[in-house]
Amino acid sequence: MDILWAENTSLTAREVGRLIADRDLAPTTVMTVLDRLTRKGFLHRTRDGRAWRYQPAESRDAYIAELMLEALDLTGDRSAALTRFAQAVSGPEAEILRRALTELEEE
C-alpha cells in the first residue's frame, strides 16, 4: 500500500514488484497480494491490455481516519477515549483539531 500511495498513478503488479527494493518477490506473489487487497476493497483495478493496473481505493489519510474510528468503536466509553486522545496530542495538533471542529460546526 505504501508504494501505491506514494505514486500519483496506477501501477501494474510488475511495476509494484520493481519498486519493492528490499525484497526479492516473485511476480505471482505480488499479483496475489494485490488481488487480495482488491477483493478486500483497499484497491481498485482496471484492465490495461493483458495486465491489471492498481490504485488505492482511498488516500492514506482516509484509511488512517477509518482505523481511528474503528479503534473508537472498540472502547466502551468513546468520550473517555477521545478525551485521552486530546490530552495526548501536541499543541499544533490540537489546533488542527480545533479548526476542523469549527469548520464542521459552521457547515
Side-chain angles (χ1 to χ4, degrees):
M1 289 300 301
D2 287 336
I3 287 170
L4 289 165
W5 277 321
E7 298 298 316
N8 289 327
T9 187
S10 58
L11 298 173
T12 65
R14 188 175 304 271
E15 291 167 334
V16 170
R18 279 192 217 119
L19 291 170
I20 301 174
D22 60 339
R23 301 180 83 177
D24 184 26
L25 299 172
T28 54
T29 302
V30 176
M31 273 190 283
T32 298
V33 171
L34 292 172
D35 287 338
R36 287 181 181 167
L37 288 170
T38 300
R39 277 189 264 125
K40 290 182 178 188
F42 292 104
L43 299 177
H44 291 301
R45 70 180 182 182
T46 55
R47 264 290 182 202
D48 184 9
R50 294 178 59 203
W52 289 104
R53 293 200 152 273
Y54 297 88
Q55 64 187 47
E58 297 285 342
S59 68
R60 180 191 307 264
D61 294 338
Y63 174 70
I64 297 301
E66 185 62 33
L67 287 177
M68 293 167 71
L69 289 170
E70 287 176 15
L72 275 176
D73 287 341
L74 296 175
T75 182
D77 187 349
R78 286 177 75 112
S79 295
L82 285 168
T83 300
R84 290 280 267 218
F85 178 77
Q87 292 168 341
V89 298
S90 68
E93 292 167 336
E95 184 55 37
I96 291 167
L97 286 171
R98 273 190 210 92
R99 273 184 277 159
L101 291 170
T102 299
E103 288 173 14
L104 285 172
E105 288 175 351
E106 293 172 355
E107 289 181 352

